[in-house]
């Protein structure tokens, strides 16, 4: 596996008017891994994803995705990535198979039908392929959304709060899908407000607070930032939630603005 980072940010800054959202973000994501980007509302998570996916220009600093500069190589970056937002971007009037065929044709790929059938089988959606997506469950729609994002085999996938609003079983289905993708070499940048999701999926975790990365490492490394608690004489390791709240504080004073 190459040692060149799949995603690299150096001194990234972004402001809206006189409000600084990013104040010098440094971050590196190794290929074929999951990095979970955690932060309260307004911390800059979505802004970071928008910059990396060329939807928003940075004010300063540099960012590369799959070796391409997001400021000067828009086309190369977009060819290397796919983005799945907080809500499934599927057409509910179409069937599952029609959604996939449509995206394959928009990407000018040969054998759109074959690509659709392969993805339906891969994501265990073949039995529902001919049904309108409006009849599908939330978990099935999210899996279809991720399947659509993989058409063209992008090496880097941005998942911006992918399980928002899903029931527990649907969340588990999405987690299994993400693990499979990473096992096949896809690099994933995951933003989430569910700390258990980061614990289950992430190889490394970064905490974004007031526009800066204030902690980054594996779950075990972050747990070392807090001493273990003793409950009835049994040593208890701090959870990721304990670490997150201890680092960013409990008062929520910096959460007044919604994440942009």
């Amino acid at each position: 596996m190459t040692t060149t980072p799949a995603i690299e940010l150096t001194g990234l800054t972004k402001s809206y008017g006189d409000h600084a959202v990013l104040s010098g973000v440094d971050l590196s994501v190794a290929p074929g891994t999951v990095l979970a980007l955690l932060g309260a509302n307004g911390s800059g998570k979505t802004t970071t994803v928008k910059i990396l996916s060329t939807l928003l220009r940075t004010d300063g600093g540099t960012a590369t995705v799959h070796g391409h500069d997001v400021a000067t190589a828009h086309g190369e970056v977009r060819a290397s990535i796919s983005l799945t937002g907080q809500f499934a971007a599927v057409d509910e009037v179409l069937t599952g198979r029609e959604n996939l065929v449509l995206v394959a044709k928009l990407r000018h790929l040969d054998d759109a039908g074959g690509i659709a059938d392969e993805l339906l089988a891969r994501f265990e959606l073949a039995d529902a392929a001919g049904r309108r997506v409006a009849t599908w469950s939330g978990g099935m729609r999210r899996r279809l959304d991720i399947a659509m994002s993989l058409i063209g085999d992008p090496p880097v996938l941005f998942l911006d709060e992918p399980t928002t609003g899903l029931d527990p079983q649907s969340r588990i289905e999405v987690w299994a899908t993400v693990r499979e993708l990473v096992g096949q070499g896809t690099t994933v940048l995951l933003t989430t407000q569910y700390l258990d999701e980061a614990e289950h999926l992430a190889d490394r975790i970064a905490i974004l607070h007031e526009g800066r990365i204030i902690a980054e490492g594996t779950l075990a490394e972050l747990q070392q930032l807090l001493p273990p608690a003793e409950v009835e004489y049994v040593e208890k390791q701090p959870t990721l939630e304990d670490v997150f709240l201890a680092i960013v504080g409990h008062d929520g004073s910096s959460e007044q603005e919604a994440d942009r």
Side-chain angles (χ1 to χ4, degrees):
M1 180 180 293
T2 178
T3 57
T4 303
I7 303 170
E8 189 163 29
L9 293 72
T10 304
L12 207 63
T13 62
K14 181 64 181 179
S15 297
Y16 296 98
D18 59 359
H19 175 59
V21 178
L22 303 178
S23 303
V25 173
D26 299 313
L27 193 62
S28 182
V29 185
T33 64
V34 180
L35 183 129
L37 185 61
L38 306 183
N41 287 337
S43 60
K45 302 187 303 297
T46 298
T47 294
T48 301
V49 171
K50 285 182 176 179
I51 289 172
L52 290 172
S53 54
T54 74
L55 297 177
L56 189 64
R57 288 185 178 275
T58 180
D59 292 337
T62 61
T64 60
V65 176
H66 200 55
H68 306 296
D69 191 310
V70 301
T72 60
H74 294 172
E76 291 84 351
V77 171
R78 290 171 184 169
S80 303
I81 68 169
S82 196
L83 169 62
T84 298
Q86 297 179 22
F87 304 100
V90 297
D91 190 323
E92 296 186 350
V93 175
L94 300 179
T95 67
R97 189 176 189 275
E98 287 170 343
N99 269 276
L100 291 164
V101 168
L102 175 61
V103 174
K105 288 183 176 180
L106 288 173
R107 288 184 176 268
H108 306 290
L109 299 177
D110 296 330
D111 192 19
I115 292 171
D117 291 336
E118 188 275 329
L119 286 168
L120 288 164
R122 177 177 172 186
F123 285 84
E124 299 182 357
L125 295 170
D127 290 344
R131 287 168 36 203
R132 289 176 55 190
V133 173
T135 67
W136 288 20
S137 69
M140 292 171 66
R141 294 185 199 190
R142 177 55 80 184
R143 281 154 53 203
L144 176 63
D145 192 27
I146 295 175
M148 291 165 62
S149 72
L150 294 180
I151 292 176
D153 297 318
V156 178
L157 179 62
F158 298 120
L159 297 177
D160 190 13
E161 300 189 18
T163 61
T164 296
L166 295 185
D167 60 74
Q169 180 59 40
S170 296
R171 290 179 70 207
I172 291 171
E173 292 175 1
V174 172
W175 291 356
T177 298
V178 174
R179 291 192 193 98
E180 179 186 354
L181 294 176
V182 175
Q184 296 172 351
T186 304
T187 302
V188 175
L189 176 63
L190 167 74
T191 74
T192 181
Q193 301 224 28
Y194 300 124
L195 300 185
D196 62 328
E197 188 160 87
E199 289 182 321
H200 277 86
L201 293 178
D203 297 295
R204 298 186 70 81
I205 299 162
I207 298 177
L208 183 62
H209 184 61
E210 296 184 347
R212 294 183 181 275
I213 300 295
I214 58 173
E216 193 265 335
T218 65
L219 175 59
E221 290 169 345
L222 293 180
Q223 287 174 329
Q224 293 302 311
L225 298 176
L226 296 182
E230 290 188 5
V231 180
E232 296 181 354
Y233 305 104
V234 176
E235 186 177 90
K236 176 179 176 291
Q237 290 293 329
T239 65
L240 180 56
E241 182 174 4
D242 295 331
V243 175
F244 179 83
L245 292 176
I247 290 174
V248 305
H250 295 70
D251 58 6
S253 59
S254 64
E255 301 179 23
Q256 299 303 312
E257 298 193 35
D259 196 8
R260 295 176 182 259

